[in-house]
Amino acid sequence: MHEAIRCTTVINAPGLRLEAAEFCSESCILATTSDGTLLSLKPDARAAPGSPWQVLNAVKSFSRKTITCLRYLRVHGYILTQADDGVGLFQLASLEGVGLNSSPSLKLIPKTKNPACFCVNKQETLLCVCTKKKLLIFQWFEGEFTELQEFPISETIKRVEWCGEYIIVAQKKEYQLFNLSSGAYTEVIPTGKSTQSPKILQLPYNELLLLKDNVGVFVGLDGKLTRKFGVSWSEQPAHMQVISPYAIAVLKNLIEVRSLH
């Protein structure tokens, strides 16, 4: 039997309430807890393969608000965070000096308070942040993101992802392609009948996977369908991730893996 995915335990702490996690490298995973603590983990070289990782650093009160999302910027070596007080940024290398009279500093990006979602383009040069009333575009410059554009929005955006020169946004009833030059929206597909949050995943070869109920629909950078058939799961996923050439879905009681081909 072909083994597509192998699951291992990274953190084994039943009393710890984890909020977000991000894989940075084979030797580094970051995680946050409900009390604002930032954890840095690495494999335990003395333990057997598949054993839980060990906590290298625990930065208490790292954030005043609970961080619910982490995103590693591999090109720059920085981490983006999302919390109620805004989208933040800090340097991954700053964790190396924790405990030696220094601690990483989280810098909040202006005008991003109460963010609904955010995304970065593949080159990690542009950042899009959606708040309750605005869609904001920032550009990377000398170690920080500076504001480039601002658009008002009439309806809350639940998910956002870069789509070439455009942006795909997921609202309550439909996915739409947003033109940054004209500010115009073009409908892509409905989000479906389910009340769960929509999902947008970047795929290799200039495609995206949009979740409609329990089916993943393939679209191109122009927002048009690229395949006649989608990826089906036994129920609507609570979470999705792509590890090419597979799509992974977390359901209520199990994890399902599907081929993207």
Side-chain angles (χ1 to χ4, degrees), residues 205-261:
Y205 314 115
N206 297 325
E207 280 186 309
L208 294 97
L209 191 67
L210 311 183
L211 183 65
K212 181 181 179 183
D213 294 325
N214 66 323
V215 178
V217 179
F218 295 92
V219 301
L221 299 185
D222 56 359
K224 297 181 180 180
L225 302 184
T226 57
R227 308 189 195 185
K228 294 182 179 179
F229 303 99
V231 178
S232 298
W233 285 277
S234 58
E235 62 185 62
Q236 182 170 18
H239 302 283
M240 288 169 45
Q241 187 59 268
V242 169
I243 303 178
S244 186
Y246 302 105
I248 303 170
V250 178
L251 310 183
K252 290 181 180 179
N253 298 312
L254 72 156
I255 296 175
E256 291 184 351
V257 181
R258 298 286 187 266
S259 172
L260 292 171
H261 301 300

Side-chain angles (χ1 to χ4, degrees), residues 62 79-81 87-90 105-110 143-145:
F62 176 71
I79 305 292
L80 281 168
T81 67
V87 174
L89 184 71
F90 72 94
S105 176
L106 180 64
K107 183 178 180 180
L108 295 177
I109 300 173
E144 62 182 12
F145 282 104

Side-chain angles (χ1 to χ4, degrees), residues 21-87:
E22 176 74 344
F23 178 87
C24 299
S25 69
E26 296 291 341
S27 59
C28 178
I29 289 178
L30 299 183
T32 60
T33 64
S34 57
D35 64 356
T37 298
L38 175 68
L39 303 175
S40 173
L41 301 104
K42 71 172 185 178
D44 189 344
R46 299 166 297 178
S51 299
W53 289 28
Q54 62 181 9
V55 176
L56 182 63
N57 291 311
V59 185
K60 295 184 177 181
S61 301
F62 176 71
S63 173
R64 292 188 297 108
K65 300 290 185 178
T66 301
I67 293 175
T68 57
C69 182
L70 295 166
R71 172 67 188 271
Y72 178 42
L73 303 179
R74 299 182 184 278
V75 174
H76 308 298
Y78 279 74
I79 305 292
L80 281 168
T81 67
Q82 179 180 326
D84 287 346
D85 53 358
V87 174

